[in-house]
Amino acid sequence: MKQKGTLLPDAPASNDIHDLFVIGGGINGCGIARDAAGRGLSVVLAEMNDLGGATSSASTKLFHGGLRYLEYFEINLVRHALQERETLLKAMPHISWPMRFVLPYHRDMRFETDTPVSKLLSAIMPWMRGRRPAWMIRLGLFAYDNLGGRKILPATRTLSLQGTPEGAPLQERFKKAYEYSDCWVEDARLVALNARDAAERGAKIMVRTRVRSASCEGDLWRVTVEESNGTTHEVRARMLINAGGPWVGDIIQNTVRVNSTEGVRLVRGSHIVTPRLYEHDKCYFFQGTDGRIIFAIPYETDFTLIGTTDADHEDPDVKPICTPEEQRYLLDFANGYFKQKLTDDDVVWTYSGVRPLYDDGARSAASATRDYILKVETQGGAPILNIFGGKITTYRKLAEDAMEKVAPFFEKLEGHWTAGVPLPGGDFPVDGVDALVESLKTNHEFLDDRWARRLVRAYGTDARLILKDAVTPADLGRDFGATLTEAEVRWLMQHEFACSAKDVLWRRSKLGLRLEQDQAQALDNWMAGQSA
């Protein structure tokens, strides 16, 4: 196939011909749509379900460099991710924030046996028998601190676990730990805000719209889409972007029918949520006897998130679930560290996502590369860009790299612009959350700290637009429970493409953890009535 980009002819004047058609409303698709629309391209995006409804709402909710990827010598991936952390923090201080990670040390820590570092250390220091020495961990954390040009986040330090809040929930055998920095992010809200920003810059975002087929006619793609009500129509575009995530291979083979030698490896990551296990606001980074790692993270104020697993997943159309075996694995893993013994009865919710990793032929799911691969193919003159892999942390950089692939086909395409430009609601300082919370409480005296903070952490400065001039809770309309009001739901429907209660309760927020089933059904009924 032809690989080198050639300038496409000017599109006809018809308003139904667009520059880019993006398949997939996950973080990669929405990030690319936002970047492209901001460069002046006309963009259409189609997502068959809700935005971020698959992988992009089922992550471990972290902006992180990937400390363990250093053991695979994925230095460029880690460097790019570390550089992005602070760029993203500045652009979205409402939905992302710094977090300190506590890595308890013990002498029995071991490498995964198939990592390059493990093999190298075993060759030169066979008496270590696969153990992770303290000096190796500290060397890795030193590299982690310095690879990305850290400016905002504090550096690594050694921490005593005896008589400290960090040591209180852990078993007595843990005496010291290393504490380093990474960041939290509300993953599904990140997707929705990218889509919203793309729409405000001129992109057309279509949710619950399935791409049935795409064929090349001369220099254009003719894409047939089907809406949720069964209505079909065609959209013509000069270039196709396949950001289908777990379905990227299926789109290549069955929707677009383009020959490609590239493949995707589907890896399932499962998580469990328990009641809050400790009082401080730091995350734990646990390393198991099998060499794998999990996180235990403060979650939604009253809970703890534990994950993740790595298991091959064969079919993207099979909904991923946390299997009983995965739940037991995570519980046993956590029980190797916490004093409190966790059982199945402590699990209040589970979720799973499928990571669409580039198939590099790795033997195990855990060792498959987390880097992304972008491949341009042409079909009779019309190009398609296929996106393999990717991480939430590097989604903005992936979008910039995608635009580099797109640029040869569009004359005078504008340059990079997204670094330093806030997402909607993020136009305030990284350390400005508390001030914004107090401002909301001053202007709306009925708000308590918890309600105001939830609104700021979801909407940032846009919380003011939702509350408007409300003086009492009644001014916000119907109360659906857990401080979710009609005014907020209307905002989500009008500005963030929410269509159902699940969109609101499990992706635009996690209020599904707090509402009863009858409350969720009432919300769903109300939203259906508004859409009728």
Side-chain angles (χ1 to χ4, degrees):
M1 290 236 172
K2 185 179 178 183
Q3 297 294 328
K4 186 178 179 180
T6 55
L7 191 64
L8 296 176
D10 290 338
S14 173
N15 59 11
D16 67 345
I17 296 178
H18 301 270
D19 294 321
L20 300 182
F21 189 104
V22 181
I23 304 176
I27 189 55
N28 288 341
C30 291
I32 290 171
R34 178 195 184 220
D35 195 326
R39 297 177 193 237
L41 296 180
S42 60
V43 180
V44 176
L45 180 147
E47 163 55 44
M48 63 181 177
N49 295 306
D50 182 30
L51 296 172
T55 305
S56 295
S57 60
S59 76
T60 313
K61 326 296 182 190
L62 299 176
F63 279 152
H64 65 102
L67 179 61
R68 76 182 185 90
Y69 304 147
L70 290 176
E71 293 183 6
Y72 294 91
F73 293 137
E74 297 221 38
I75 305 302
N76 284 334
L77 171 64
V78 175
R79 179 186 294 111
H80 290 155
L82 291 173
Q83 290 170 341
E84 277 296 284
R85 290 182 312 180
E86 298 197 2
T87 299
L88 298 177
L89 274 177
K90 295 174 184 176
M92 53 195 80
H94 48 333
I95 63 168
S96 66
W97 52 89
M99 184 174 284
R100 293 292 277 174
F101 286 67
V102 177
L103 195 168
Y105 176 74
H106 59 91
R107 289 178 56 84
D108 294 331
M109 283 183 170
R110 294 187 175 274
F111 288 102
E112 290 180 80
T113 57
D114 61 349
T115 70
V117 168
S118 175
K119 294 176 181 177
L120 178 62
L121 198 63
S122 295
I124 62 177
M125 301 175 68
W127 60 89
M128 293 300 297
R129 296 181 181 177
R131 289 198 301 270
R132 274 189 177 101
W135 64 264
M136 177 68 77
I137 294 174
R138 194 63 186 86
L139 180 62
L141 288 169
F142 175 81
Y144 203 69
D145 274 349
N146 292 283
L147 274 173
R150 174 182 49 83
K151 295 180 180 178
I152 298 174
L153 301 174
T156 296
R157 68 181 182 121
T158 302
L159 179 70
S160 172
L161 295 176
Q162 295 179 296
T164 62
E166 295 86 354
L170 301 179
Q171 296 170 16
E172 297 297 335
R173 65 191 180 98
F174 299 106
K175 305 301 182 185
K176 78 169 184 177
Y178 302 104
E179 183 181 293
Y180 68 97
S181 293
D182 263 322
C183 307
W184 172 269
V185 63
E186 300 286 0
D187 53 3
R189 290 209 53 71
L190 176 64
V191 179
L193 292 181
N194 270 272
R196 176 185 161 195
D197 200 50
E200 291 179 352
R201 297 175 188 278
K204 182 178 181 180
I205 308 295
M206 302 185 297
V207 297
R208 289 172 171 76
T209 302
R210 184 181 294 270
V211 174
R212 285 301 182 187
S213 65
S215 58
C216 184
E217 296 186 358
D219 293 321
L220 296 174
W221 285 100
R222 184 180 294 274
V223 185
T224 301
V225 299
E226 181 181 358
E227 299 176 10
S228 58
N229 61 8
T231 301
T232 63
H233 61 274
E234 291 186 344
V235 180
R236 288 181 291 172
R238 304 172 71 193
M239 188 170 186
L240 207 60
I241 308 290
N242 176 9
W247 291 270
V248 62
D250 181 72
I251 291 169
I252 291 172
Q253 295 174 10
N254 301 317
T255 303
V256 182
R257 296 184 175 87
V258 172
N259 293 324
S260 177
T261 59
E262 310 299 333
V264 64
R265 181 172 189 169
L266 303 182
V267 175
R268 184 177 66 252
S270 294
H271 305 75
I272 60 176
V273 175
T274 71
R276 185 169 178 165
L277 298 177
Y278 50 89
E279 294 304 315
H280 61 80
D281 60 358
K282 297 177 182 179
C283 167
Y284 287 104
F285 180 112
F286 294 152
Q287 302 194 12
T289 55
D290 61 353
R292 292 210 63 251
I293 65 100
I294 65 168
F295 296 103
I297 311 172
Y299 188 61
E300 296 294 316
T301 306
D302 301 317
F303 303 92
T304 298
L305 171 66
I306 300 173
T308 178
T309 60
D310 277 312
D312 284 315
H313 191 85
E314 297 301 324
D315 186 349
D317 290 323
V318 174
K319 181 178 175 59
I321 61 171
C322 180
T323 66
E325 294 78 15
E326 287 175 303
Q327 178 167 311
R328 174 47 47 196
Y329 173 82
L330 293 172
L331 289 171
D332 289 345
F333 206 142
N335 284 337
Y337 281 84
F338 288 122
K339 291 176 182 175
Q340 176 183 342
K341 291 302 178 184
L342 301 172
T343 70
D344 292 329
D345 292 337
D346 292 305
V347 178
V348 300
W349 181 49
T350 70
Y351 69 89
S352 298
V354 176
R355 311 180 192 100
L357 307 181
Y358 179 69
D359 191 355
D360 61 353
R363 287 190 301 172
S364 70
S367 60
T369 181
R370 265 56 176 175
D371 212 345
Y372 56 81
I373 303 295
L374 311 179
K375 293 287 186 178
V376 175
E377 309 278 0
T378 55
Q379 180 81 4
I384 177 174
L385 173 61
N386 295 309
I387 313 293
F388 299 92
K391 292 166 52 64
I392 279 185
T393 315
T394 52
Y395 90 89
R396 191 198 65 84
K397 187 66 172 61
L398 182 151
E400 284 189 341
D401 289 347
M403 288 299 99
E404 292 293 328
K405 298 288 188 180
V406 167
F409 301 97
F410 294 93
E411 188 175 8
K412 298 179 180 178
L413 185 67
E414 297 176 16
H416 299 336
W417 67 273
T418 55
V421 177
L423 286 172
D427 51 336
F428 65 97
V430 171
D431 60 356
V433 168
D434 289 343
L436 188 50
V437 169
E438 291 304 315
S439 174
L440 283 189
K441 289 164 61 179
T442 298
N443 293 327
H444 307 277
E445 294 182 356
F446 61 89
L447 293 177
D448 60 18
D449 189 80
R450 185 161 177 154
W451 189 354
R453 193 166 296 275
R454 182 184 73 78
L455 292 176
V456 168
R457 279 305 187 193
Y459 307 103
T461 55
D462 282 346
R464 298 167 178 156
L465 302 180
I466 296 173
L467 295 170
K468 295 183 179 176
D469 56 357
V471 176
T472 70
D475 294 332
L476 299 175
R478 182 171 176 175
D479 178 3
F480 294 103
T483 71
L484 180 66
T485 65
E486 181 179 323
E488 184 176 350
V489 177
R490 286 188 185 279
W491 174 272
L492 292 172
M493 296 177 71
Q494 294 170 2
H495 297 278
E496 294 191 14
F497 311 96
C499 300
S500 71
K502 285 185 177 180
D503 299 350
V504 171
L505 298 179
W506 293 108
R507 285 180 285 275
R508 307 310 185 278
S509 76
K510 291 298 180 288
L511 292 175
L513 289 167
R514 306 188 185 281
L515 265 64
E516 300 295 334
Q517 186 173 354
D518 60 339
Q519 292 176 301
Q521 186 60 57
L523 172 61
D524 212 32
N525 294 340
W526 184 86
M527 293 179 69
Q530 300 302 305
S531 301

